[in-house]
Amino acid sequence: MGGSLPKAMVSPSMMCCDYADLRKEVRALEALGVDYLHIDVMDGRFVPNLALGSDFVGALRKLTDIPMDIHMMVDGPEDKVALFKPRKGDIVVIHLESTAHAHRALQIIAGYGADPGVAINPSTAVDGLRHLLDDLRLVLIMTVNPGFAGQRVIPATLPKIAEARRMIDGKGSGIRLEVDGNVSFENARLMRSEGADTFVAGSSSIFDRSMPIGEAHARLIEAIS
């Protein structure tokens, strides 16, 4: 499957960066040429954690032109998209489980010129995305339950990547297929073989503090190339 996949992209998880030295972290990511900055937005309701919000995104926009990959782990995302002022080139991802009005949320995102995406939790069937494909530019398969960094991958999620790839390819569209959750060097290679093309990189790869960030990035690129 790997030979026909779109070019792999990397989206570092900013939840795992050093907030005390954000400018330095961003400059390092710019030097590496990463494709996106992944922003985990958590409301303490849809997931049991509070994390990055609109002020953090605003601060990042003052530091860099790298597009944002805004992952909205929030209830009622259609009411909160405007807070993040999405731009052309950004991705904004809602969770299928978070709203009864997925099409409305996706249309709001598209109205800003950003790319709409939908994420599904480990226990959610891929088939639930079928009627949204016309409105999507990205599908995100969660390989852990959302809310916290540092979790182990749930093995049952790996076949879901391949299932989503078949659905996307059957549509004949340019929808990207992202994975998020324990994207280690070893797991990234497996996820790529299942059909993933965009990788949220956190504490188990690009922000593995046991090695320089450049070395970690190079190892990740090797795993997904």
Side-chain angles (χ1 to χ4, degrees), residues 11-24:
S11 186
S13 175
M14 300 308 288
M15 191 168 74
C16 300
C17 76
D18 181 358
Y19 300 156
D21 209 347
L22 185 60
R23 184 183 299 274
K24 180 180 178 181

Side-chain angles (χ1 to χ4, degrees), residues 33-62:
V34 302
D35 300 285
Y36 296 97
L37 298 180
H38 188 85
I39 314 298
D40 288 304
V41 181
M42 305 182 191
D43 65 356
R45 294 175 60 86
F46 181 70
V47 292
N49 195 7
L50 291 166
L52 311 177
S54 56
D55 287 346
F56 183 81
V57 170
L60 276 180
R61 292 204 193 278
K62 294 177 182 178

